[in-house]
Amino acid sequence: MRSEAAQAFEDWLQPVPETGRQFGELTIEARASGYELRHTDDDRANETVSLEDLRETVRFDQHGRYRPFAGERSLPAGWRVSVADTAELMTAVATVYPTAVEDWYATQTGGVDPVPWSAVASRQTGIYASVDDLDQGTVDRTVDAVCDGCVRCPAWRETGDDGTTIPCLEPCSFLVAAAREFDAHGATADTDSLHSSEDVERGDLTDPANRYRVRYSRQASKLTQK
């Protein structure tokens, strides 16, 4: 990680409020030596997790379901990890939210231009090439359905970042896959059955009861009822 980004992030953390500084679903709290990281819902988490085991801990949600993208608002609670210095802090944050500090710093300094949906869509090949032909309404509904469930703010779509959110600098592969799937198979026709099931993996976009597909279908249903 660039030292400038790490230094700027640590400067932003200081002084850390008594309740800790929030970054996504992470709370970062200063200790006598280093920092402690935990879920924002935990005042004090009981299980201490090593930095080496953190990656496996955050791969799954509170109920053991696989999290299909790192920014999903499904970070498990009940753990804490202590780090001794800035280097370990950056490693811990990057384990939970890859590239988040670099993207945050780049946005603060104006050092990067977000990549718009059109640019990402135009470079898709194979089964995903069709997303380049999607109408704006389909794209917008997909973005609303998926990105509302992410801690990252789509800087390629929105402006007005207050400096405390985690920016998203370009549409992710999960969003592209969702757009392709929703366009290929459409919204669920039966509006009375628009209920997601927690038994369905969130990454299984083919299932009509998938959380993100249901969100998309609800928006499409509202459109047809107007």
Side-chain angles (χ1 to χ4, degrees):
M1 181 181 297
R2 292 176 55 196
S3 60
E4 297 95 331
Q7 185 61 58
F9 187 71
E10 192 167 33
D11 289 345
W12 174 70
L13 289 174
Q14 301 295 340
V16 178
E18 185 176 343
T19 56
R21 184 80 72 182
Q22 185 173 341
F23 194 63
E25 289 187 296
L26 279 179
T27 289
I28 305 173
E29 187 172 338
R31 293 302 190 196
S33 176
Y35 297 89
E36 179 181 285
L37 295 82
R38 61 180 184 274
H39 193 287
T40 54
D41 288 344
D42 294 323
D43 289 333
R44 290 289 184 273
N46 294 323
E47 181 182 359
T48 300
V49 175
S50 69
L51 193 54
E52 292 74 20
D53 292 337
L54 181 58
R55 186 179 305 279
E56 187 66 18
T57 299
V58 301
R59 284 183 63 199
F60 304 92
D61 70 8
Q62 195 70 26
H63 304 286
R65 294 182 292 258
Y66 177 72
R67 301 173 66 233
F69 54 97
E72 188 181 55
R73 294 185 184 277
S74 59
L75 194 68
W79 56 270
R80 63 181 177 183
V81 59
S82 297
V83 296
D85 53 32
T86 303
E88 289 188 354
L89 172 64
M90 296 301 110
T91 297
V93 174
T95 299
V96 179
Y97 298 128
T99 76
V101 173
E102 295 96 326
D103 293 347
W104 171 86
Y105 178 71
T107 302
Q108 299 305 304
T109 59
V112 66
D113 292 322
V115 181
W117 167 265
S118 58
V120 172
S122 67
R123 69 186 187 216
Q124 301 303 310
T125 60
I127 64 172
Y128 297 106
S130 62
V131 301
D132 193 28
D133 298 322
L134 297 183
D135 63 84
Q136 191 59 47
T138 298
V139 173
D140 288 342
R141 289 190 295 275
T142 302
V143 171
D144 289 341
V146 174
C147 297
D148 281 356
C150 182
V151 301
R152 289 180 177 253
C153 176
W156 44 272
R157 187 192 195 198
E158 303 172 6
T159 58
D161 176 33
D162 62 4
T164 64
T165 58
I166 304 175
C168 171
L169 298 184
E170 70 174 82
C172 70
S173 58
F174 186 81
L175 182 64
V176 171
R180 183 258 176 189
E181 182 64 32
F182 298 160
D183 178 64
H185 299 287
T188 301
D190 184 4
T191 57
D192 293 330
S193 65
L194 294 181
H195 301 287
S196 61
S197 171
E198 291 302 322
D199 293 330
V200 176
E201 291 289 339
R202 291 172 185 171
D204 183 6
L205 297 167
T206 64
D207 195 305
N210 173 271
R211 165 181 292 197
Y212 297 109
R213 188 165 177 178
V214 167
R215 288 179 179 176
Y216 176 86
S217 295
R218 284 174 176 167
Q219 293 179 49
S221 175
K222 291 178 181 178
L223 183 66
T224 59
Q225 292 174 4
K226 289 183 178 180

